[in-house]
Amino acid sequence: MSNKITPLVATGNQTLSSNPDAARAALAAMWAVRLFEEAVDSLFARGLMHGTMHLSIGQEASAIGACAALRESDFITSTHRGHGHCIGKGADLTRMMAELLAKQTGYCRGRGGSMHIADAATGNLGANGIVAGGIPIAAGAALAQKLQNKDNVVMCFFGDGATNEGAFHEAVNLAAIWDLPVVFVCENNKYGMSFSTEKSMKVDNVADRASAYGIPGVTVDGNDLDAVYAAAQEAVDRARRGEGPSIVENITYRWKGHSKSDKNLYRTKEEIEQWKNDDPIEQFQDKLESLGTLSRDEMTALAADVRDKIRIAIQEATTAPDSDPAELLASVFRQVNS
Amino acid sequence: MSNKITPLVATGNQTLSSNPDAARAALAAMWAVRLFEEAVDSLFARGLMHGTMHLSIGQEASAIGACAALRESDFITSTHRGHGHCIGKGADLTRMMAELLAKQTGYCRGRGGSMHIADAATGNLGANGIVAGGIPIAAGAALAQKLQNKDNVVMCFFGDGATNEGAFHEAVNLAAIWDLPVVFVCENNKYGMSFSTEKSMKVDNVADRASAYGIPGVTVDGNDLDAVYAAAQEAVDRARRGEGPSIVENITYRWKGHSKSDKNLYRTKEEIEQWKNDDPIEQFQDKLESLGTLSRDEMTALAADVRDKIRIAIQEATTAPDSDPAELLASVFRQVNS
Amino acid sequence: MTDRLITYSEAIREAIGQAMEADPSVFMMGEDIGVYGGAFGVSGDLYHRFGAERIRDTPISELGIVGAAVGAALVGMKPIVEIQFSDFTAQAMDQIVNQAAKIHFMLGGELSVPMVLRAPLGSGTGAAAQHSQSLEAWFAHVPGLKVVMPATAQDAKGLLLSAIDDPNPVMVLEHKLLYKTSGPVTEAAIRTPIGKSAVVREGKDAVLVATGVMVSRSLEAAEALAEKGIQVTVIDVRTLSPLDMEPIEQAVAATGRVLLVQEAPKHVGFMAEVSARLAESKSIYSLEAPIKRLCGMDIPIPYAPQLERAVVPQIPNIIDAVVELMQEP
Amino acid sequence: MTDRLITYSEAIREAIGQAMEADPSVFMMGEDIGVYGGAFGVSGDLYHRFGAERIRDTPISELGIVGAAVGAALVGMKPIVEIQFSDFTAQAMDQIVNQAAKIHFMLGGELSVPMVLRAPLGSGTGAAAQHSQSLEAWFAHVPGLKVVMPATAQDAKGLLLSAIDDPNPVMVLEHKLLYKTSGPVTEAAIRTPIGKSAVVREGKDAVLVATGVMVSRSLEAAEALAEKGIQVTVIDVRTLSPLDMEPIEQAVAATGRVLLVQEAPKHVGFMAEVSARLAESKSIYSLEAPIKRLCGMDIPIPYAPQLERAVVPQIPNIIDAVVELMQEP
Ligand SMILES: Cc1ncc(C[n+]2csc(CCOP(=O)(O)OP(=O)(O)O)c2C)c(N)n1
Ligand SMILES: Cc1ncc(C[n+]2csc(CCOP(=O)(O)OP(=O)(O)O)c2C)c(N)n1
Ligand SMILES: [Mg+2]
Ligand SMILES: [Mg+2]
């Protein structure tokens, strides 16, 4: 019995907000990310979850708008802040929760936790605990599509801070010279942990770095779902046509601290408040209402429905068996005849 | 008894070719690089030298024009193709030859060979066998100048191929955000071993990559000594004024194979011949003659004088003692009280 | 020795502060070491005491940072680099191994690299396989690097100050689980010599040789064993390279039984070297039992707490292993 | 077995060619492997046989290339990466260790990384410290990697074909000095099993355990020793991880004397593990002498030929060490 939200719907060169089905799916997905992470945050606060946690609350439009441009057969690589990408690509909420709760039924059988959720079935090649670690992997998965004569696209998520790693440079260059079908989605939330983009780079936007590789780079309001989707769709189409990679930069903000150890000493309360007023979900709901795409009641019902799915995820995951130490030794290598 | 050429002379915003002393020094230096490497090439061919060898014949104007913009107290980091940089910064020809001949009197006491010549006395922080390995080191040496409130500049040499390494990206970014006094000199000889710049990057020039770091980048004819000097001097002055790093790209060409194992299968005889017609030394001599800065006779005498220095270098180095295995174990670490 | 108790983190911070006050060429680079105070809070208030120039926040560029430290060290500075998790030294291996470790020798001896690289290693925090490794064996295998692993607050301070004094590159591998543990630490800028193992408990029946967090676990196991009437000597290796075998060989000669305890995976780990040194020396003749190792399993560190505990030695495992050892042959 | 003699390089090329003909998902990436034919000429004409798509020249981006191989492997390809010198694996350690080695386990077992990484190691070419290292111990210490070191042309082919078949990441560490050496190689696409050590010579007096180029040096030493009346068994470890101790333990039980020979620096090198395995097993009871190691000195590889020779074991050193070993205790 799966516990998923309805798949995202692409709308080509239309906006998501203009299409009721697409709008419903995208809004539900954003709620799912928000509510999943709020639940996780409180489980953590109540000592029911261990390890550390990187929440993307406030960045929902970036993950969901970008994933809306993908087909089921497309792939993603994700980051330490990956719950949104995972849900956007269609992951099961119970298996995600089970992983965070270190259960045998989790996506990684309790071996990976929040930073390593992968889901082969939905083309999620994995979150990554290494900043920029997924970027060369995305380029390679895209190379494979080319070598296999498939028209799938790989969407590679990473943060602003990741663009200062050598891995970013080498991988984007490889994708560029080989015209690989990959879309580099930079979720620029203004900080790499405590280090601001003003300090970490001398250019205004990460997209300005695209010129070094001879590929397109665009910067969009990452809290505007329609804007994110439009930019992502264009880059995905370009990649699928075999015209090579692009960088899409979504300007957004994380409401919560970087991780559990963050005291927010590097940014002001005012800045955080200001960004909270730019809530991607609120924004999208207001737009849907004013466009008449969905009514407030529909939206309220939809949010309530997602809330139930999260509740179910917690229930099912909590009662699932703990992951099993007995199988560890045999799990390091894939057995040669399997 | 040292065996050096006369130090290079900077001419500010004048050209080197317009100044007899500067022209003489620069021409002698280019001849020193050319003749040193021709000598090394034949020693190698005659089996009198072992290991491998990366010759910069054809690229002399790049190394010498750039080094002419430096003060004695400035620093350089060099590459596997570093004989020119080494000579440009004022190295002793006998000690260089002795190192290649694996002698105790060599710059590295026979431990490093061609790829690792360093000369603390002239601010040469070392050639490097690792492509792009010297770039972060140069940034760090420049950071030290800043922290020590010195106005020295670090000139960092590397090839076109090196710009595809993550080390290039990370180091140039560090230098940019911290406004470090470093000049990144890319010697673009069209190939990284066998891989052409057309294939290795999607931009036309390495200098196009400067925009990703918010720093200036210029591309010059690397076989035109005056052009190289002018670009280098501007970048050095800028760095010394505390205005940060630049990328100076010298378009040039190596006449010889990449190393001893190269069969030149990746480029045509025609291409090689064509570039040989663009000999940086010839070019400069013609210019000096037409400008009347130096006469042909003076230039011939000067070249003969350099040839003697190379002959002396070979003689002295050949008769020097072989490097001594006995001292190895005690040489891995600097002794704590030394 | 003082009876002032401070934490392992505080001891490290105190060492850095004292070194920076004493020597203007000492400075620190790393990710989020400034106003954030460090991922594990080690740099703490140093940023406010010494400012942004000397407590230098960097972009996420491990290779670049370590390379910059090498370059700064070559021209007279004494950089201390903090790598947020020792797992990320993987990003910087070229500068650590091909540059820092080799420059002094390879370039002929004139130049040297007085650099300190601090990095937290180890499991136990639920951070999973990419944030929990113990990679000390890699560095100990590299000629030109010195490698220390402080197991107490006092040594965290003393070994770091010695590392800063040292004209060569030194890897200081700290254990995450020790940061919040307290111990007596001398207030003065004391040095713990690099290259000296320490006997931290004496017993006549067997020897436990340990590194990092396994030292305190071995001491606790020793307490429990004493109640069973088994008296064990515990040796804290402290410096993995250069390795001081003397106290280990003496203790083995005296007891004839030895258990080597490390958190890192067993295969080709550091304790294999200790075992091999004993087996190729005269110590082998005084053995009354095989040279046993108790190590981490050859498995990436898992996230689930019960799995994570299962793959590295815990106190009961040490106790059992010693009891078994006493029954050999 | 065939008596066709081909070189170690040719054997590797033949293996790659046969694998690429048999399986369209196999392809190769590396620097200058195309028209140049590879820095050591290993890929040779493969570019002309299979084209630029499948024999893929890359920019100088080791981390990017290995990462791209990981990504391609995750979605059904079987990449073979050539790293020009094993020293440059330092650039790619994150993708090798934190990604390739851990993904299958860490991500729960659905995904896997059937990738082969080929890299030449070793000294003897006058290329100095940054182009001559033997870093096998690093990789053998990493759970999730398999590590092989072919010492003959036949195994160069057979181990590589097994590595390509393997659904896990395999490091194939070739020795530069062996590329031009010839040996009998089966024409068919034979497999040498991963995880099996080989007894390559039998003798009753002592055992030599070796890897890489030290295998042939040990065999030559064995010839000379035979003339002195000392009969030695020589074992080629072949696979460093997972390690097959059985033939080693049997030979030690039979002879009571063992010398472990490696080119890499001694401290925390691979042979320390072989020694430790013997010392913790019942083998220790059959020893008539300490477990000796003959290894590279703990020194970066120097450029000068006489220095380079002095820091790694040569045939006379092996002979002397065995003669000494026979005099123990
Ligand atoms: C190679 C590496 N270096 C450092 C870290 C520690 N770290 C984890 S997340 C993070 C910040 C990443 O910033 P960014 O890429 O902007 O992503 P964000 O967290 O803002 O979503 C850091 C420094 C890491 N996991 N990997
Ligand atoms: C990290 C690393 N990768 C690969 C090599 C092998 N290699 C040595 S020089 C070279 C080509 C470098 O090209 P470029 O930077 O353009 O310098 P050039 O040789 O053209 O002067 C290569 C691939 C190396 N030494 N280091
Ligand atoms: Mg960020
Ligand atoms: Mg080049």
Side-chain angles (χ1 to χ4, degrees):
Chain A
M1 246 290 297
S2 84
N3 181 19
K4 299 186 172 197
I5 51 159
T6 45
L8 295 171
V9 178
T11 51
N13 45 27
Q14 309 290 309
T15 60
L16 296 174
S17 60
S18 64
N19 175 317
D21 291 344
R24 216 176 275 109
L27 182 58
M30 289 200 288
W31 274 120
V33 179
R34 174 79 50 100
L35 298 173
F36 180 88
E37 292 197 334
E38 283 178 353
V40 161
D41 202 24
S42 80
L43 284 167
F44 209 94
R46 287 182 287 143
L48 300 173
M49 204 171 263
H50 93 138
T52 186
M53 196 63 47
H54 305 89
L55 303 177
S56 63
I57 294 174
Q59 305 184 184
E60 296 86 352
S62 170
I64 301 308
C67 287
L70 297 176
R71 296 181 183 164
E72 211 184 327
S73 59
D74 291 334
F75 296 94
I76 65 167
T77 62
S78 176
T79 70
H80 58 285
R81 204 174 301 286
H83 302 140
H85 316 136
C86 201
I87 291 171
K89 199 63 174 70
D92 182 287
L93 299 169
T94 295
R95 287 190 68 193
M96 284 178 68
M97 192 62 76
E99 185 56 33
L100 272 62
L101 287 168
K103 300 295 188 166
Q104 187 70 19
T105 56
Y107 270 113
C108 312
R109 310 170 75 86
R111 298 177 201 154
S114 166
M115 272 194 292
H116 300 298
I117 295 179
D119 181 13
T122 61
N124 177 353
L125 298 178
N128 209 308
I130 299 295
V131 168
I135 310 180
I137 292 173
L143 172 60
Q145 303 314 304
K146 204 175 181 196
L147 292 169
Q148 295 167 353
N149 299 308
K150 295 183 181 159
D151 72 346
N152 299 322
V153 168
V154 180
M155 183 170 278
C156 173
F157 289 98
F158 53 88
D160 47 284
T163 69
N164 300 313
E165 283 281 2
F168 164 84
H169 178 68
E170 296 188 16
V172 175
N173 189 56
L174 287 181
I177 61 172
W178 292 337
D179 292 318
L180 300 181
V182 54
V183 176
F184 296 105
V185 178
C186 179
E187 303 190 290
N188 181 346
N189 58 10
K190 300 286 187 187
Y191 296 91
M193 204 152 163
S194 69
F195 208 55
S196 74
T197 51
E198 286 74 22
K199 291 176 178 166
S200 66
M201 46 185 213
K202 252 203 159 185
V203 288
D204 299 331
N205 297 308
V206 166
D208 299 340
R209 293 184 158 177
S211 62
Y213 310 103
I215 63 172
V218 298
T219 302
V220 303
D221 175 351
N223 289 355
D224 175 343
L225 188 75
D226 283 331
V228 171
Y229 171 73
Q233 189 65 65
E234 186 183 344
V236 166
D237 293 344
R238 184 170 185 281
R240 212 182 296 283
R241 287 194 306 269
E243 293 167 23
S246 330
I247 293 178
V248 174
E249 175 182 23
N250 301 333
I251 304 294
T252 181
Y253 197 81
R254 59 169 160 74
W255 293 6
K256 301 280 183 172
H258 164 72
S259 71
K260 288 300 153 188
S261 66
D262 190 345
K263 300 186 202 65
N264 282 313
L265 299 172
Y266 51 88
R267 55 183 192 175
T268 63
K269 290 212 167 23
E270 295 65 36
E271 181 182 286
I272 299 172
E273 282 318 309
Q274 177 198 325
W275 277 93
K276 283 187 175 175
N277 298 334
D278 185 26
D279 180 345
I281 296 181
E282 276 303 321
Q283 235 189 91
F284 190 60
Q285 294 197 132
D286 295 345
K287 192 169 186 182
L288 294 180
E289 185 176 34
S290 58
L291 289 172
T293 313
L294 300 180
S295 72
R296 275 286 160 192
D297 295 354
E298 286 179 277
M299 295 189 265
T300 317
L302 178 152
D305 179 54
V306 173
R307 200 175 296 279
D308 288 339
K309 287 189 158 55
I310 301 300
R311 201 176 292 113
I312 291 165
I314 298 173
Q315 274 164 11
E316 292 180 342
T318 312
T319 55
D322 287 344
S323 47
D324 176 10
E327 68 176 20
L328 291 182
L329 253 184
S331 308
V332 176
F333 292 106
R334 166 151 290 169
Q335 297 316 307
V336 174
N337 304 322
S338 78
Chain B
M1 243 292 295
S2 84
N3 180 19
K4 300 186 173 198
I5 52 160
T6 45
L8 295 171
V9 178
T11 51
N13 45 26
Q14 310 289 308
T15 61
L16 296 173
S17 60
S18 64
N19 174 318
D21 291 342
R24 216 175 275 110
L27 182 58
M30 288 200 289
W31 273 121
V33 178
R34 174 79 50 99
L35 298 173
F36 180 89
E37 292 197 334
E38 284 177 354
V40 161
D41 201 23
S42 81
L43 285 167
F44 209 94
R46 290 182 286 142
L48 299 175
M49 204 172 262
H50 91 140
T52 187
M53 197 63 49
H54 305 89
L55 303 178
S56 63
I57 294 175
Q59 304 184 185
E60 296 87 352
S62 171
I64 301 308
C67 286
L70 297 176
R71 296 182 183 163
E72 211 185 329
S73 59
D74 291 334
F75 296 94
I76 64 166
T77 62
S78 177
T79 70
H80 58 285
R81 205 174 300 287
H83 303 140
H85 317 136
C86 199
I87 291 172
K89 199 66 174 69
D92 182 288
L93 299 167
T94 297
R95 287 190 67 192
M96 284 178 68
M97 191 62 76
E99 185 56 34
L100 272 62
L101 287 168
K103 301 294 190 168
Q104 188 71 19
T105 56
Y107 270 114
C108 313
R109 308 170 77 84
R111 298 177 200 154
S114 167
M115 274 194 291
H116 300 296
I117 295 179
D119 181 13
T122 61
N124 177 353
L125 297 179
N128 209 307
I130 298 294
V131 168
I135 310 180
I137 292 172
L143 171 60
Q145 303 314 306
K146 206 175 180 197
L147 291 170
Q148 295 166 353
N149 299 310
K150 295 184 180 158
D151 73 346
N152 299 321
V153 168
V154 181
M155 183 170 279
C156 174
F157 289 98
F158 53 88
D160 47 283
T163 68
N164 301 312
E165 283 281 2
F168 164 83
H169 178 68
E170 296 187 17
V172 175
N173 189 57
L174 288 182
I177 61 171
W178 292 336
D179 292 319
L180 300 181
V182 54
V183 176
F184 295 106
V185 178
C186 180
E187 303 190 290
N188 181 346
N189 58 9
K190 299 285 187 190
Y191 297 91
M193 206 153 160
S194 69
F195 207 54
S196 73
T197 50
E198 286 74 20
K199 291 176 177 166
S200 66
M201 47 185 212
K202 253 203 158 187
V203 288
D204 299 331
N205 298 308
V206 167
D208 299 341
R209 293 185 157 176
S211 61
Y213 311 102
I215 64 173
V218 298
T219 303
V220 302
D221 176 350
N223 288 355
D224 176 344
L225 188 75
D226 283 331
V228 171
Y229 171 73
Q233 190 64 66
E234 186 183 343
V236 166
D237 292 343
R238 185 170 184 282
R240 213 181 297 282
R241 287 195 306 269
E243 293 167 23
S246 331
I247 294 178
V248 175
E249 176 182 23
N250 301 334
I251 304 294
T252 182
Y253 198 80
R254 59 169 159 75
W255 294 5
K256 302 280 181 172
H258 164 71
S259 72
K260 289 297 151 190
S261 66
D262 190 344
K263 300 184 202 66
N264 281 313
L265 299 171
Y266 51 89
R267 55 184 192 173
T268 63
K269 292 213 166 17
E270 294 65 35
E271 181 181 286
I272 299 172
E273 283 317 311
Q274 176 198 326
W275 278 93
K276 283 187 175 175
N277 298 333
D278 185 26
D279 180 345
I281 296 181
E282 277 302 326
Q283 234 189 91
F284 189 61
Q285 293 196 132
D286 295 347
K287 193 170 186 182
L288 294 180
E289 185 176 35
S290 59
L291 289 173
T293 313
L294 300 180
S295 72
R296 276 286 160 193
D297 295 353
E298 286 178 278
M299 295 191 266
T300 318
L302 176 152
D305 178 54
V306 173
R307 200 176 297 278
D308 289 338
K309 288 188 158 53
I310 301 298
R311 200 175 293 115
I312 291 165
I314 298 172
Q315 276 164 9
E316 294 181 341
T318 313
T319 55
D322 288 342
S323 47
D324 178 8
E327 70 177 20
L328 291 181
L329 254 185
S331 307
V332 176
F333 292 106
R334 166 151 290 169
Q335 297 316 309
V336 174
N337 304 323
S338 78
Chain C
M1 165 127 153
T2 170
D3 50 353
R4 176 191 65 148
L5 299 181
I6 62 174
T7 67
Y8 188 91
S9 309
E10 288 163 343
I12 295 165
R13 191 180 317 133
E14 186 168 274
I16 297 170
Q18 290 173 339
M20 288 182 69
E21 277 165 5
D23 181 350
S25 66
V26 177
F27 74 107
M28 190 173 169
M29 280 193 283
E31 294 157 13
D32 311 290
I33 63 170
V35 62
Y36 194 99
F40 289 92
V42 173
S43 48
D45 64 350
L46 290 173
Y47 173 83
H48 299 290
R49 287 177 53 198
F50 296 99
E53 286 288 302
R54 291 181 72 193
I55 300 293
R56 184 168 288 264
D57 267 322
T58 70
I60 309 168
S61 308
E62 292 78 12
L63 181 61
I65 301 163
V66 175
V70 172
L74 282 173
V75 296
M77 300 299 289
K78 289 183 143 290
I80 302 169
V81 174
E82 173 176 300
I83 298 291
Q84 230 167 44
F85 285 74
S86 70
D87 311 73
F88 315 148
T89 56
Q91 267 71 359
M93 286 303 272
D94 177 63
Q95 287 293 333
I96 298 170
V97 175
N98 292 332
Q99 311 296 340
K102 295 176 172 51
I103 281 175
H104 176 67
F105 176 90
M106 179 174 72
L107 270 46
E110 270 187 76
L111 293 161
S112 58
V113 184
M115 169 183 93
V116 175
L117 195 152
R118 292 181 40 243
L121 52 67
S123 62
T125 66
Q130 293 175 333
H131 288 72
S132 305
Q133 292 168 94
S134 298
L135 299 170
E136 66 275 8
W138 284 0
F139 304 110
H141 185 50
V142 177
L145 292 181
K146 296 185 181 182
V147 183
V148 301
M149 272 175 80
T152 65
Q154 175 81 351
D155 284 345
K157 178 175 180 178
L159 285 169
L160 179 53
L161 282 168
S162 294
I164 295 168
D165 292 342
D166 202 290
N168 302 288
V170 182
M171 305 285 299
V172 180
L173 301 172
E174 303 160 358
H175 201 292
K176 293 172 202 120
L177 295 182
L178 296 176
Y179 281 133
K180 294 197 166 72
T181 63
S182 295
V185 176
T186 311
E187 289 177 35
I190 37 89
R191 269 67 177 166
T192 304
I194 292 176
K196 290 260 161 274
S197 306
V199 177
V200 292
R201 178 190 175 105
E202 302 211 39
K204 62 175 190 5
D205 300 323
V207 191
L208 284 170
V209 180
T211 51
V213 75
M214 292 301 150
V215 173
S216 48
R217 290 187 191 171
S218 296
L219 285 168
E220 288 195 51
E223 285 301 324
L225 287 160
E227 286 162 18
K228 295 184 195 290
I230 302 172
Q231 305 302 336
V232 300
T233 290
V234 178
I235 296 178
D236 174 359
V237 174
R238 296 201 299 195
T239 300
L240 282 64
S241 187
L243 172 60
D244 171 25
M245 284 297 294
E246 203 179 315
I248 300 172
E249 286 172 357
Q250 284 174 5
V252 169
T255 65
R257 297 173 191 272
V258 60
L259 178 70
L260 311 173
V261 190
Q262 86 190 8
E263 174 175 1
K266 184 175 193 175
H267 194 56
V268 198
F270 171 75
M271 285 302 172
E273 177 67 24
V274 177
S275 175
R277 293 275 196 108
L278 290 170
E280 70 191 350
S281 73
K282 55 180 169 22
S283 304
I284 194 166
Y285 299 115
S286 47
L287 287 173
E288 289 164 25
I291 303 169
K292 292 292 184 184
R293 288 179 294 166
L294 180 65
C295 306
M297 293 168 79
D298 292 308
I299 292 181
I301 300 293
Y303 163 71
Q306 71 278 15
L307 304 190
E308 190 178 21
R309 272 192 305 275
V311 300
V312 303
Q314 307 297 328
I315 294 164
N317 309 120
I318 301 175
I319 296 169
D320 296 349
V322 172
V323 169
E324 257 183 48
L325 181 66
M326 295 312 294
Q327 279 141 24
E328 292 276 352
Chain D
M1 164 127 155
T2 171
D3 50 347
R4 176 191 65 147
L5 299 181
I6 63 175
T7 66
Y8 187 91
S9 309
E10 289 163 344
I12 295 165
R13 191 179 317 133
E14 186 167 273
I16 296 170
Q18 290 173 337
M20 287 181 70
E21 277 165 2
D23 181 350
S25 66
V26 177
F27 73 107
M28 190 172 167
M29 280 192 284
E31 294 157 13
D32 311 291
I33 63 170
V35 62
Y36 194 98
F40 289 92
V42 173
S43 48
D45 64 350
L46 291 173
Y47 173 83
H48 299 291
R49 288 177 55 198
F50 296 99
E53 286 288 303
R54 292 181 70 192
I55 301 294
R56 184 168 290 264
D57 266 324
T58 70
I60 309 169
S61 307
E62 292 77 14
L63 181 61
I65 300 163
V66 175
V70 172
L74 282 174
V75 296
M77 300 299 290
K78 287 182 145 292
I80 302 169
V81 173
E82 173 176 301
I83 297 290
Q84 228 165 46
F85 285 74
S86 69
D87 310 73
F88 315 149
T89 56
Q91 267 69 1
M93 286 303 272
D94 177 63
Q95 287 293 332
I96 297 170
V97 174
N98 292 333
Q99 312 296 341
K102 295 177 173 48
I103 281 174
H104 175 67
F105 175 89
M106 179 175 72
L107 270 47
E110 272 187 72
L111 293 161
S112 59
V113 184
M115 169 184 93
V116 174
L117 195 153
R118 293 182 40 243
L121 51 68
S123 63
T125 66
Q130 293 174 332
H131 289 71
S132 306
Q133 293 167 94
S134 299
L135 300 170
E136 66 276 7
W138 284 0
F139 304 111
H141 185 51
V142 177
L145 292 180
K146 296 184 181 183
V147 183
V148 301
M149 271 176 81
T152 65
Q154 176 80 351
D155 284 345
K157 178 175 180 178
L159 285 169
L160 179 53
L161 282 167
S162 295
I164 295 168
D165 292 342
D166 202 290
N168 302 289
V170 182
M171 305 285 301
V172 180
L173 301 173
E174 303 160 359
H175 201 291
K176 287 168 207 133
L177 295 183
L178 296 176
Y179 282 133
K180 293 195 165 73
T181 63
S182 296
V185 176
T186 311
E187 290 176 35
I190 37 91
R191 268 67 178 168
T192 304
I194 293 176
K196 291 258 162 276
S197 307
V199 177
V200 292
R201 178 190 174 103
E202 301 210 40
K204 60 175 191 7
D205 300 323
V207 191
L208 284 170
V209 180
T211 52
V213 76
M214 292 301 149
V215 174
S216 47
R217 290 188 190 170
S218 295
L219 285 168
E220 289 196 49
E223 286 300 327
L225 287 160
E227 288 162 18
K228 296 183 196 289
I230 302 172
Q231 306 301 335
V232 300
T233 291
V234 178
I235 295 178
D236 175 0
V237 174
R238 297 202 297 194
T239 302
L240 282 64
S241 187
L243 172 61
D244 170 24
M245 283 298 293
E246 203 178 314
I248 300 172
E249 286 172 357
Q250 284 173 6
V252 169
T255 66
R257 295 172 191 274
V258 59
L259 178 71
L260 311 172
V261 190
Q262 86 188 9
E263 174 174 0
K266 184 175 194 175
H267 193 57
V268 198
F270 172 75
M271 286 302 172
E273 178 67 25
V274 177
S275 175
R277 293 273 197 109
L278 290 169
E280 72 192 346
S281 73
K282 56 181 168 21
S283 305
I284 194 166
Y285 298 116
S286 46
L287 286 172
E288 290 166 24
I291 303 169
K292 292 290 185 186
R293 287 178 295 167
L294 180 64
C295 306
M297 293 169 78
D298 292 307
I299 292 182
I301 300 294
Y303 162 72
Q306 70 278 17
L307 303 190
E308 191 178 20
R309 272 191 305 275
V311 300
V312 302
Q314 306 297 330
I315 294 164
N317 308 121
I318 301 174
I319 296 169
D320 295 349
V322 172
V323 170
E324 257 182 49
L325 181 67
M326 296 312 295
Q327 277 141 26
E328 292 275 352

